[in-house]
């Protein structure tokens, strides 16, 4: 969390709560959070390192993905969604097109600001 936002106690507490909740979720399509904590009054998240780019970046680079690519991305995102709940902040910047094993898996990794 950027230190300027951590000055607001309510924002920092929400960041930690959401990060702890996300850390409890296990899925091949959701970024793994290893640790949530505080350093010198600023909350932090230690998460899995993902190679690749966000969906937003990919769409800027390639505005019209093929049908096959689109269906693959949508399928991976659907696999990472818990039940039928969609985060109101769900956006292309929170979807990471990664290839941890060279498989091109999409990870949901929206983190609280």
């Amino acid at each position: 969390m950027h230190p300027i936002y951590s000055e607001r106690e309510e924002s920092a507490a929400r960041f930690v709560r959401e990060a702890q909740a996300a850390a409890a979720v296990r899925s091949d399509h959701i970024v793994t959070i290893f640790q949530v904590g505080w350093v010198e009054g600023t909350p932090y998240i230690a998460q899995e390192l993902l190679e690749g780019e966000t969906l937003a970046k990919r769409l800027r680079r390639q505005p019209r993905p093929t049908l096959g690519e689109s269906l693959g991305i949508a399928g991976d995102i659907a696999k990472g969604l818990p039940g039928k709940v969609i985060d109101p902040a769900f956006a292309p910047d929170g979807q990471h097109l990664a290839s941890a094993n060279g498989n091109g898996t999409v990870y949901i990794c929206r983190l609280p600001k």
Side-chain angles (χ1 to χ4, degrees), residues 2-97:
H2 193 284
I4 195 164
Y5 298 113
S6 67
E7 292 174 5
R8 294 186 56 212
E9 189 174 318
E10 178 183 315
S11 296
R14 179 178 177 187
F15 178 92
V16 170
R17 262 192 329 272
E18 288 188 20
Q20 288 169 334
V25 177
R26 298 284 180 255
S27 168
D28 290 340
H29 297 277
I30 297 178
V31 68
T32 301
I33 297 175
F34 299 114
Q35 188 174 14
V36 178
W38 294 82
V39 172
E40 298 178 5
T42 301
Y44 73 88
I45 296 173
Q47 72 173 43
E48 167 183 16
L49 175 63
L50 299 175
E51 304 282 334
E53 64 189 340
T54 65
L55 177 56
K57 235 182 217 184
R58 168 73 64 85
L59 291 174
R60 283 193 293 276
R61 185 171 53 78
Q62 181 188 358
R64 302 192 93 178
T66 68
L67 177 60
E69 289 170 326
S70 298
L71 291 173
I73 290 168
D76 279 352
I77 291 171
K79 290 174 190 170
L81 293 173
K84 297 183 190 233
V85 176
I86 296 181
D87 187 323
F90 188 79
D93 279 327
Q95 315 319 307
H96 196 88
L97 307 178

